[in-house]
């Protein structure tokens, strides 16, 4: 019986990934539950420790207690470690240790890495893992140095270095955790170009995906960008620019947000609020004071999310691009979805549609459930659910008021968002043999 259970648990890469993330969450929640993890020296309620561990491992950033105020340095380091493991993927970290120990990476492990990094084949997967870790540590180190330089102007050297490292790792991994206290995020630095630009750079680079970073690095060798990288860079740039324009237009005269700011600061905050919903969870404006139209627009950005193979969540920019391409093709009466003179395989379009519908089903179901258990406005609940699914971490203040059942639902959404609806589906549903025949074609009326 035990052998059957174990063989089922490790039978597929998606299932192994789900178990691995669940194990890290369990271990992290145990450590955060200890008295030494809190600044008061008292035990943190286990449900709150579990919520924080889930949020950190799933690089979300939603918190029921403030990270800077509630947790001790030990607790904060535990959170930071989970963010790093959750952002890069526990299999990437395990593979790195195996490489250091000069142990051969098995085929099974390569298949799990393929699933974790969202790759189409296992060719060059170990080389990609090496690059993933190298890029991450290099970018985080650069970000930590730049943030430390700024924090040195109003902090002691030790605290400035600690804050610089913590926020660089958090922002690059699109986690959104901060140590500023009072659930304030970066609102105290709304008019600080240095902190804003460095933070946005870390968030954007972390959300592009390691495959794109690898492609950009190889440009020096005369290689061209792949179709994937072109789509990611185009969609990411377009969404950031369009998002900034919309936020700027909606909030320009809002006395509770951008109204009192000068034009330069308004532009800066508009771009930050456009970049952050790409699963980063950092805000320089008080989100509860935003107009409802802006809040709903941020929900859309959070749902789209970052790019495949990155530290971010959401349905991903390439999925959104494939859907837009399919709509444009249908409107023009074309059968093929074409991007940059390349035709997308029909399987890719089907996968994009399936992923989007599964994501919508998860979000709508969780929103309907929480609408019956939580005494709050519908938009606030929808915002929280999409933030959890997109592993964003932005909140309108609902997280700390959630009931026990509400916390469980949000934790499940964070877990599903980090793994991805398709991966979670593959993990839960047994794989069936390939069908060797096709049914007769039928027609239905659409539209």
């Amino acid at each position: 019986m035990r052998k059957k259970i174990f063989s089922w648990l490790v039978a597929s890469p998606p299932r192994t990934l789900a178990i691995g993330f669940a194990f890290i969450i369990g271990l992290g929640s145990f450590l955060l539950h200890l008295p030494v993890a809190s600044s008061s020296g008292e035990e943190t309620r286990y449900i709150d420790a579990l919520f924080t561990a889930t949020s950190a491992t799933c690089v979300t950033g939603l918190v029921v207690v403030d990270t800077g105020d509630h947790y001790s340095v030990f607790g904060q380091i535990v959170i930071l470690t989970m963010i790093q493991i959750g952002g890069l993927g526990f299999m990437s970290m395990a593979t790195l240790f195996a490489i250091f120990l000069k142990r051969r990476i098995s085929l099974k492990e390569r298949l799990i890495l393929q699933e974790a990094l969202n790759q189409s084949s296992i060719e060059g997967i170990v080389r990609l893992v090496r690059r993933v870790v190298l890029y991450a540590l290099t970018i985080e180190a650069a970000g930590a140095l730049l943030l430390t330089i700024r924090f040195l102007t109003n902090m002691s050297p030790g605290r400035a270095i600690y804050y610089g490292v913590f926020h660089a790792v958090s922002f690059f991994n699109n986690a959104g955790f901060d140590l500023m206290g009072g659930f304030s995020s970066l609102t105290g630095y709304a008019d600080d170009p240095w902190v804003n630009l460095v933070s946005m750079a870390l968030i954007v680079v972390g959300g592009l995906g390691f495959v794109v970073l690898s492609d950009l690095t190889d440009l020096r060798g005369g290689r061209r960008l792949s179709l994937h990288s072109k789509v990611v860079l185009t969609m990411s740039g377009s969404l950031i620019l369009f998002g900034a324009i919309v936020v700027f237009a909606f909030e320009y005269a809002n006395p509770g947000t951008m109204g009192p700011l000068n034009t330069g600061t308004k532009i800066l905050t508009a771009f930050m609020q456009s970049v952050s919903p790409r699963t980063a969870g950092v805000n320089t404006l008080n989100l509860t004071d935003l107009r409802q139209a802006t809040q709903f627009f941020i929900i859309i950005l959070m749902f789209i999310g970052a790019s495949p193979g990155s530290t971010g969540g959401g349905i991903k920019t390439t999925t959104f691009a494939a859907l837009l391409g399919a709509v444009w093709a249908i409107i023009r009466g074309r059968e093929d979805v074409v991007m940059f003179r390349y035709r997308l395989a029909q399987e890719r379009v089907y996968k994009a549609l399936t992923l989007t519908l599964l994501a919508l089903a998860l979000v709508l179901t969780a929103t309907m459930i929480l609408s019956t258990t939580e005494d709050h406005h519908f938009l606030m609940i929808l915002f929280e659910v999409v933030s959890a699914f997109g592993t964003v971490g932005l909140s309108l203040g609902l997280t700390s008021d959630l009931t026990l059942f509400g916390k469980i639902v949000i934790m499940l959404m964070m877990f599903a968002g980090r793994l991805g609806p398709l991966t979670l589906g593959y993990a839960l549903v047994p794989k069936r043999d390939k069908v060797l025949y096709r049914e007769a074609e039928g027609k239905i009326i659409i539209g």
Side-chain angles (χ1 to χ4, degrees):
M1 182 66 179
R2 288 181 179 178
K3 287 184 177 180
K4 286 184 178 181
I5 294 175
F6 180 78
S7 62
W8 182 86
L9 291 175
V10 298
S12 69
R15 200 169 294 153
T16 304
L17 281 178
I19 295 166
F21 274 108
F23 174 77
I24 295 168
I25 291 170
L27 178 60
S29 65
F30 169 75
L31 294 174
L32 292 177
H33 177 59
L34 298 175
V36 69
S38 70
S39 56
S40 65
E42 299 177 356
E43 285 187 352
T44 301
R45 285 200 312 164
Y46 185 73
I47 184 63
D48 293 340
L50 179 62
F51 191 98
T52 304
T54 304
S55 183
T57 305
C58 298
V59 289
T60 304
L62 289 174
V63 290
V64 288
V65 292
D66 186 83
T67 308
D69 294 336
H70 180 82
Y71 290 104
S72 65
V73 173
F74 171 80
Q76 292 166 4
I77 291 175
V78 170
I79 291 171
L80 192 64
T81 304
M82 287 189 290
I83 290 172
Q84 188 72 0
I85 295 174
L88 299 184
F90 76 93
M91 275 306 299
S92 296
M93 303 298 287
T95 302
L96 181 64
F97 283 116
I99 292 172
F100 279 144
L101 297 173
K102 297 182 178 180
R103 186 176 69 82
R104 188 175 179 276
I105 310 300
S106 67
L107 177 61
K108 176 75 174 179
E109 291 166 335
R110 291 170 192 263
L111 290 171
I112 298 173
L113 283 171
Q114 177 190 347
E115 184 69 31
L117 296 174
N118 206 6
Q119 297 299 294
S120 56
S121 72
I122 62 173
E123 183 181 356
I125 197 73
V126 176
R127 183 172 64 253
L128 179 60
V129 168
R130 289 197 189 99
R131 286 191 168 192
V132 164
V133 177
L134 176 62
Y135 293 158
L137 296 181
T138 302
I139 295 168
E140 287 170 355
L145 177 62
L146 292 172
L147 289 175
T148 298
I149 291 173
R150 170 61 184 86
F151 292 147
L152 279 171
T153 60
N154 60 349
M155 298 180 187
S156 64
R159 190 182 183 193
I161 293 172
Y162 179 58
Y163 270 49
V165 171
F166 188 98
H167 292 98
V169 173
S170 177
F171 295 167
F172 173 75
N173 287 286
N174 282 214
F177 281 82
D178 68 87
L179 302 177
M180 299 306 172
F183 298 99
S184 62
S185 191
L186 294 184
T187 52
Y189 293 90
D191 59 350
D192 191 314
W194 186 284
V195 172
N196 276 264
L197 292 175
V198 172
S199 300
M200 282 190 283
L202 287 168
I203 293 166
V204 171
V205 173
L208 287 178
F210 296 108
V211 174
V212 177
L213 295 180
S214 181
D215 267 6
L216 291 172
T217 305
D218 290 340
L219 282 178
R220 292 178 299 178
R223 294 181 57 182
R224 294 183 177 181
L225 285 176
S226 65
L227 174 63
H228 171 80
S229 296
K230 289 179 181 179
V231 172
V232 166
L233 292 171
T234 302
M235 286 303 303
S236 297
S238 301
L239 286 170
I240 290 172
L241 181 60
F242 180 68
I245 292 172
V246 171
V247 173
F248 184 84
F250 285 172
E251 297 300 317
Y252 184 86
N254 186 347
T257 54
M258 288 188 186
L261 305 178
N262 60 54
T263 303
T265 305
K266 286 179 179 179
I267 294 173
L268 195 63
T269 53
F271 270 98
M272 174 58 89
Q273 300 315 135
S274 176
V275 168
S276 183
R278 310 294 308 291
T279 83
V282 182
N283 58 286
T284 52
L285 295 176
N286 192 337
L287 299 180
T288 57
D289 292 332
L290 296 174
R291 301 186 193 278
Q292 286 191 349
T294 310
Q295 293 172 349
F296 187 74
F297 180 71
I298 289 175
I299 288 174
I300 296 172
L301 292 180
M302 291 193 296
F303 186 74
I304 296 171
S307 302
S310 72
T311 56
I315 63 171
K316 304 296 189 296
T317 53
T318 49
T319 301
F320 185 61
L323 294 178
L324 290 180
V327 171
W328 183 240
I330 291 295
I331 291 174
R332 297 177 66 197
R334 304 287 180 87
E335 291 186 3
D336 296 327
V337 177
V338 179
M339 295 180 180
F340 295 98
R341 299 183 180 180
Y342 283 94
R343 173 178 55 84
L344 286 188
Q346 202 172 47
E347 173 198 355
R348 298 288 174 179
V349 180
Y350 284 155
K351 187 174 182 179
L353 181 60
T354 303
L355 193 154
T356 304
L357 289 178
L358 285 175
L360 276 173
L362 282 172
V363 167
L364 294 177
T365 301
T367 302
M368 286 190 290
I369 291 173
L370 291 182
S371 293
T372 62
T373 63
E374 313 300 314
D375 187 20
H376 289 279
H377 295 298
F378 175 79
L379 187 62
M380 181 182 286
I381 294 172
L382 178 63
F383 194 100
E384 199 84 6
V385 170
V386 176
S387 180
F389 169 77
T391 68
V392 180
L394 294 176
S395 176
L396 296 180
L398 175 61
T399 309
S400 56
D401 292 335
L402 287 170
T403 62
L404 174 62
F405 184 77
K407 291 176 182 177
I408 293 172
V409 172
I410 293 297
M411 282 191 288
L412 291 174
M413 288 301 296
M414 289 190 287
F415 190 74
R418 181 64 185 94
L419 282 178
L422 286 179
T423 300
L424 187 63
Y426 293 151
L428 297 175
V429 179
K431 189 176 180 180
R432 297 184 178 182
D433 295 332
K434 186 176 181 180
V435 178
L436 301 178
Y437 61 90
R438 299 177 70 183
E439 305 287 355
E441 183 178 304
K443 294 184 179 180
I444 60 173
I445 299 173
I446 303 293

